[in-house]
């Protein structure tokens, strides 16, 4: 669906448009079109992971952890599983984009590797936060909060462009967008808000407190 929409809208993209994201533009109509195309697979993956922690703990309960796993190892394995799923998901997007042959310009090899790495890590961070929230609040509320945050981050980034650059780093979804981190080679959209060499370490460092809080909460949960 993403590739069909992109073909129908005839938008400016590289040959891997899912890495481009949403550009900084004064046209709201154009912004919404890019947002729709980029957001479709993102919300699909959000639904895929929604309720994962809560469903598992509710169904299996304390017996699973006492007889089979320690809680810390289980949490770590779930985040590793998420990374593997997202990696396959991203590879599938690459295959689809290659098949459709979208875009007139191409990433350099270096920029493609950079874009792919920060895109994948951005998804890992966003959905890790979603699963972390599920340990504290209702999974439906967690899913709603995360998706509101994703859409609001993209829209607010464009609205606040030109203000404090530090503020832009609060909008995590933009880290994985080539139009926002400057890695997409489309001369019509030269503006960007995130520096790759700043954004990547921030995403990596964020994995530590997410993992710590998840382990802390699961250890404190009464699973009886």
């Amino acid at each position: 669906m993403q590739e069909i929409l992109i073909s129908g809208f005839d938008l400016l993209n590289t040959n891997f448009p899912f890495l481009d994201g949403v550009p900084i533009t004064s046209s709201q109509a154009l912004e919404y079109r890019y947002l729709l195309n980029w957001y479709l697979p993102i919300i699909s993956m959000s639904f895929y992971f929604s309720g994962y922690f809560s469903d598992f703990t509710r169904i299996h309960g304390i017996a699973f952890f006492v007889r089979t796993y320690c809680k810390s190892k289980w949490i770590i394995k779930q985040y590793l599983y998420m990374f593997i799923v997202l990696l396959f998901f991203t590879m599938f997007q690459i295959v689809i984009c290659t098949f459709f042959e979208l875009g007139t310009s191409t990433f350099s090899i270096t920029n493609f590797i950079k874009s792919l790495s920060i895109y994948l890590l951005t998804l890992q961070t966003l959905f890790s936060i979603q699963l972390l929230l599920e340990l504290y609040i209702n999974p439906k509320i967690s899913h709603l909060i995360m998706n509101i945050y994703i859409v609001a981050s993209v829209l607010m980034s464009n609205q606040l462009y030109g203000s404090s650059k530090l503020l832009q780093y609060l909008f995590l979804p933009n880290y994985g967008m080539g139009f926002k981190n400057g890695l997409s080679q489309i001369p019509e959209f030269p503006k960007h808000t995130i520096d790759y060499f700043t954004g990547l370490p921030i995403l990596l460092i964020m994995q530590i407190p997410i993992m710590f809080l998840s382990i802390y909460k699961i250890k404190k949960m009464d699973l009886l």
Side-chain angles (χ1 to χ4, degrees):
M1 288 182 63
Q2 183 185 42
E3 303 309 317
I4 291 173
L5 284 174
I6 291 173
S7 300
F9 286 145
D10 193 25
L11 300 175
L12 292 171
N13 290 288
T14 64
N15 49 340
F16 297 104
F18 68 94
L19 296 177
D20 293 328
V22 183
I24 299 292
T25 174
S26 58
S27 171
Q28 289 189 338
L30 191 60
E31 178 185 2
Y32 295 152
R33 285 185 176 185
Y34 274 103
L35 177 59
L36 173 63
N37 293 338
W38 175 83
Y39 185 54
L40 273 176
I42 303 299
I43 193 173
S44 301
M45 295 306 298
S46 180
F47 272 112
Y48 178 82
F49 290 113
S50 180
Y52 183 76
F53 278 178
S54 58
D55 290 346
F56 194 93
T57 54
R58 186 183 70 253
I59 293 172
H60 295 277
I62 195 170
F64 176 81
F65 292 102
V66 170
R67 298 174 185 175
T68 313
Y69 285 93
C70 77
K71 297 176 182 178
S72 300
K73 289 182 178 180
W74 181 78
I75 285 290
I76 294 172
K77 286 187 176 182
Q78 303 320 304
Y79 282 121
L80 288 175
Y81 165 76
M82 173 188 287
F83 181 80
I84 293 173
V85 170
L86 291 174
L87 180 60
F88 275 102
F89 163 69
T90 304
M91 293 300 106
F92 179 71
Q93 284 187 293
I94 292 174
V95 171
I96 293 296
C97 289
T98 303
F99 177 78
F100 273 80
E101 296 182 345
L102 297 173
T104 55
S105 62
T106 59
F107 281 104
S108 66
I109 295 178
T110 301
N111 277 7
F112 176 72
I113 294 174
K114 287 181 178 179
S115 296
L116 197 61
S117 62
I118 198 168
Y119 174 78
L120 184 58
L121 191 54
T122 298
L123 297 186
Q124 175 76 15
T125 303
L126 290 173
F127 298 136
S128 294
I129 294 174
Q130 179 178 319
L131 293 192
L132 172 62
L133 290 175
E134 288 184 3
L135 296 175
Y136 291 85
I137 60 177
N138 185 286
K140 294 180 181 179
I141 302 299
S142 169
H143 179 263
L144 182 61
I145 289 174
M146 182 50 58
N147 282 275
I148 290 176
Y149 168 71
I150 290 173
V151 174
S153 294
V154 177
L155 297 178
M156 289 178 66
S157 175
N158 282 15
Q159 294 296 321
L160 297 176
Y161 180 77
S163 60
S164 172
K165 192 169 183 179
L166 290 177
L167 190 62
Q168 296 286 346
Y169 286 93
L170 297 177
F171 306 137
L172 297 180
N174 296 315
Y175 287 41
M177 296 183 179
F179 286 142
K180 297 292 179 63
N181 58 36
L183 294 177
S184 287
Q185 299 170 326
I186 301 292
E188 287 82 357
F189 299 122
K191 300 176 181 178
H192 62 275
T193 60
I194 302 295
D195 180 72
Y196 171 81
F197 292 104
T198 302
L200 191 67
I202 290 175
L203 294 175
L204 289 170
I205 292 172
M206 285 188 68
Q207 303 303 311
I208 299 174
I210 291 172
M211 193 76 67
F212 173 80
L213 291 173
S214 299
I215 292 173
Y216 175 80
K217 180 60 177 179
I218 201 72
K219 284 184 175 181
K220 295 295 182 180
M221 288 177 65
D222 182 8
L223 300 177
L224 289 173

